[in-house]
Amino acid sequence: MSKYYLNYLDELESEAIYVLREVYSQFQNPVILFSGGKDSIVLTHLAKKAFFPAKIPFALMHVDTGHNFPETIQFRDDLIEKLGARLIVGSVQESIDNGRVAEEKGKNATRNALQTTTLLDAIESNKVDCAIGGGRRDEEKARAKERFFSHRDDFGQWDPKNQRPELWNLFNGKCFEGEHFRAFPISNWTEMDVWNYIKRENIEIPSLYFAHEREVVWRNGSWIPNSEYLIMDEGDEIVRKKIRFRTLGDITITGGIESEADTLEKIVEEVSAMRQTERGNRADDKRSETAMEDRKRQGYF
Amino acid sequence: MEIDKNQLLRFTTAGSVDDGKSTLIGRLLFDSKSIFEDQISAVETTSKKKGHEGVDLALFTDGLRDEREQGITIDVAYRYFTTPKRKFIIADTPGHIQYTRNMVTGASTANAAIILVDARHGVIEQTKRHAFIASLLQIPHIIVCVNKMDLVDFDEKAYNNVISQFEEFSSKLLVRDVRFIPISALLGDNVVNRSEDMDWYQGAPLLHTLETLHISSDVNKVDARFPVQTVIRPQREGYIDYRGYAGRIASGIFRPGDEVTVMPSGFTSKISSIDTFDGPVQEAFVPMSVTMTLEDDIDISRGDMIVRSNNKAEASQDVEVMLCWLNDKPAKPRAKYAIRHTTNEQLAMIKEVIYKIDINTLERKSDDTELNMNDICKVKIRTTKPLMIDPYRENRNTGSIILIDESTNETVAAGMVV
């Protein structure tokens, strides 16, 4: 009987497909939160597998900070066209223009925290009852406590101490008007699993993940890309480096690493030898020890 | 790494701050090189701030703000590490009695349970509680780690005492595979590397044990059960008449051509194909997510279960379950709850509490029938429509239920079909 077992990537895939089908069955209007990063790309690929031969039954929702890598937006639009899916964009710029949020000031200013308001507004105005995210429990200590089906109250808030128990594979997605859920089908995946899966499935990802030449500035221990949004400081020096990005967020806060990895094989090899966490290059997580927990409580991704 | 063959092993660790649970997990992660440099430097900084010497391994499992401030585990935390042989998921659960619900949650999906015993104190009430919950949730493998051996001079007698105390107690439980390992999580003895101070111990260190546990036989491959999650009807060119039943195989093996019965309707048909995005497959087994098509047009929807015609589940509206109450509001007698079993949802009423189990002594108390938070009781449940069930000890996927209070939408209880 020994041949009747799955290897761990197959088991993780099967689990994620199961979760996606539960989301589809338990909610009226779920969307995939699509950032253009590798995790949300893997999520979209899994959704394609879960409902084959039907099309993906979810719209893709992108919270657009306005501070994007142009490559990400191009990639997003191409993917939407290929899938024939619907795209919903929540614009942080609009939230600023409407006075819903105020822009941070200074050279380390980011629109990262502002996304929460835009995200919650987009969820409310589109009557979304479940937002499917690519969050993984290995990313961060607050995420380690996250459920597959995670309840948000009518203010969009997460209450980590009062979460619904989640046993076996029995998910409880019942919610009242105005509340919503976040679902995390790849909760149990690690960064390494995601890369191995991308390689195995040969999933297309933005060119930013591959080593390329770019103008960058050394800041807080990583290479921040030069862009029209970058506020230069005295002593900042723009240099050209061969870099790649391990995660993709706003162009203002996503740091790259020096790398020669220009193929999926080389990336997988590089990641498996990495001695730093992937979020180590994200300025948004460095603000305090509980930066992620605090943002998540308020309704962040 | 040979990911083509490597399996996933989920295990739970239950314990309190004092028995070294966090240190053990920190040690496993640290010695298996699963901790990154920036995490180590963060922990070094915190260790210094707190006045500890060196790196306090326990800090690697720090979680939410309240947990850090109070030095306790409140909620289940999931942690991950990979070795060249396996991928591991740790469900790190708190050990205190008021967190029984979290222990049960962590145990529900585990292949193995690590129970920590302090070599100086031997088997205590908390050890018994953990062992009982592991047996109640039918975790296939239990590994008792006798920790802090360095504090008893690595004495074999202390280790043997724990074994006899544990075996005396566990003879009353239904556990299939129990192993004992003498360790020092603090110093690393027998965690990843073999101890140099305990020649008398001939067995394998903990990590090697976890890497080699035989887990393929833990799932039920005999009773073919396929709960339907959703019906796939593409309505697009090439697939106009396609009608596939999507789900994850709960147990057993299915093949095209199999004679199947749809429960509860009782209609029969044959499997025409088992489809996936990567193409049709010739067999599908637990826990694969697939889409089935049948030869006949039958009305099938979410909540139905496809089984092999010569081996059906039991369809019943009256179910006896071991129920663990998870909510701070006690059960309301004869109130209706939503019940979820596989993909099926009905209404249910708790008709009778047969007895409550004292989880420290294992005594059955039939005079105390109030279901409070963390209580474990045997109850009779009546549902509005039949559930397609198997006993939990034969089938974890088709033998488990949860109850939901529809006035709050909270998950209030978890049950195992007797």
Side-chain angles (χ1 to χ4, degrees), chain A residues 4 8 14 18 22 49 53 145 147 161 164 168 171-172 174 188 193 275 277 290 293-294, chain B residues 6 35 37-38 65-68 75 80 87 108 229 236 278 283 287 289 302 340 345 411:
Chain A
Y4 294 110
Y8 74 82
S14 172
Y18 172 81
E22 280 304 292
K49 285 194 150 187
K145 311 245 155 171
R147 306 288 192 259
K161 276 207 297 185
R164 293 181 185 174
W168 299 290
F171 302 140
N172 172 6
K174 286 180 188 286
N188 280 331
D193 298 333
R275 299 308 307 146
T277 58
T290 52
E293 180 182 342
D294 297 342
Chain B
N6 289 358
I35 297 180
E37 278 166 8
D38 48 332
R65 186 200 304 271
D66 291 342
E67 294 177 320
R68 277 212 297 284
D75 201 288
Y80 303 82
K87 175 187 165 89
S108 70
Q229 274 185 287
R236 66 170 165 132
D278 301 300
E283 50 187 8
S289 285
R302 176 173 168 85
R340 184 156 284 165
E345 189 184 309
T411 304

Side-chain angles (χ1 to χ4, degrees), chain B residues 366-383:
Chain B
S366 46
D367 51 336
D368 178 3
T369 56
E370 209 180 75
L371 270 163
N372 291 304
M373 172 106 131
N374 296 319
D375 281 347
I376 294 168
C377 292
K378 188 173 180 182
V379 302
K380 281 186 182 163
I381 285 175
R382 168 98 181 157
T383 59

Side-chain angles (χ1 to χ4, degrees), chain B residues 47 228 249 257 263 292 308 330 398:
Chain B
S47 301
V228 175
I249 293 170
M263 299 184 75
M292 256 181 218
R308 271 221 295 277
T398 57

Side-chain angles (χ1 to χ4, degrees), chain B residues 149-398:
Chain B
M149 287 302 292
D150 51 314
L151 298 183
V152 294
D153 297 324
F154 300 104
D155 182 10
E156 188 177 2
K157 254 189 271 159
Y159 169 72
N160 285 333
N161 275 345
V162 173
I163 296 183
S164 51
Q165 286 169 356
F166 190 91
E167 282 180 342
E168 190 193 326
F169 170 78
S170 67
S171 62
K172 291 178 242 168
L173 302 174
L174 232 157
V175 282
R176 281 176 276 176
D177 174 23
V178 187
R179 294 147 201 249
F180 299 87
I181 306 177
I183 66 166
S184 165
L186 188 68
L187 303 177
D189 292 72
N190 285 337
V191 178
V192 172
N193 303 310
R194 174 167 287 285
S195 170
E196 287 171 10
D197 289 303
M198 290 182 276
D199 293 341
W200 46 265
Y201 173 71
Q202 299 301 316
L206 176 60
L207 183 63
H208 184 265
T209 306
L210 290 169
E211 283 179 328
T212 51
L213 276 181
H214 181 67
I215 52 172
S216 303
S217 312
D218 294 347
V219 285
N220 182 327
K221 291 189 196 116
V222 177
D223 308 306
R225 308 278 185 261
F226 185 68
V228 175
Q229 274 185 287
T230 182
V231 182
I232 292 183
R233 305 190 62 189
Q235 322 227 327
R236 66 170 165 132
E237 221 185 304
Y239 297 97
I240 296 298
D241 295 322
Y242 189 92
R243 194 181 168 85
Y245 307 103
R248 192 179 192 191
I249 293 170
S251 58
I253 302 161
F254 288 93
R255 296 180 186 88
D258 281 354
E259 297 213 10
V260 292
T261 299
V262 181
M263 299 184 75
S265 69
F267 288 120
T268 58
S269 184
K270 269 188 186 170
I271 296 176
S272 158
S273 69
I274 301 175
D275 298 335
T276 73
F277 179 83
D278 301 300
V281 291
Q282 283 318 299
E283 50 187 8
F285 51 89
V286 52
M288 286 168 68
S289 285
V290 295
T291 303
M292 256 181 218
T293 62
L294 301 183
E295 286 185 0
D296 306 277
D297 248 342
I298 307 175
D299 180 23
I300 300 175
S301 53
R302 176 173 168 85
D304 290 345
M305 190 185 278
I306 296 173
V307 302
R308 271 221 295 277
S309 298
N310 58 9
N311 175 352
K312 293 180 197 147
E314 186 194 338
S316 175
Q317 283 175 261
D318 291 289
V319 190
E320 276 191 16
V321 300
M322 293 299 293
L323 201 67
C324 178
W325 199 257
L326 310 171
N327 200 267
D328 48 11
K329 281 193 262 356
K332 294 164 276 184
R334 300 192 69 82
K336 286 195 189 73
Y337 294 94
I339 185 169
R340 184 156 284 165
H341 167 261
T342 65
T343 59
N344 191 2
E345 189 184 309
Q346 305 292 341
L347 287 177
M349 186 198 288
I350 302 170
K351 283 185 67 180
E352 187 190 339
V353 178
I354 305 169
Y355 58 77
K356 184 184 289 188
I357 293 184
D358 180 323
I359 62 170
N360 293 317
T361 62
L362 298 190
E363 272 171 41
R364 295 174 179 184
K365 296 185 289 186
S366 46
D367 51 336
D368 178 3
T369 56
E370 209 180 75
L371 270 163
N372 291 304
M373 172 106 131
N374 296 319
D375 281 347
I376 294 168
C377 292
K378 188 173 180 182
V379 302
K380 281 186 182 163
I381 285 175
R382 168 98 181 157
T383 59
T384 46
K385 283 184 184 157
L387 302 180
M388 285 67 76
I389 50 167
D390 293 295
Y392 183 80
R393 62 170 192 285
E394 286 167 24
N395 200 326
R396 277 170 116 180
N397 290 326
T398 57

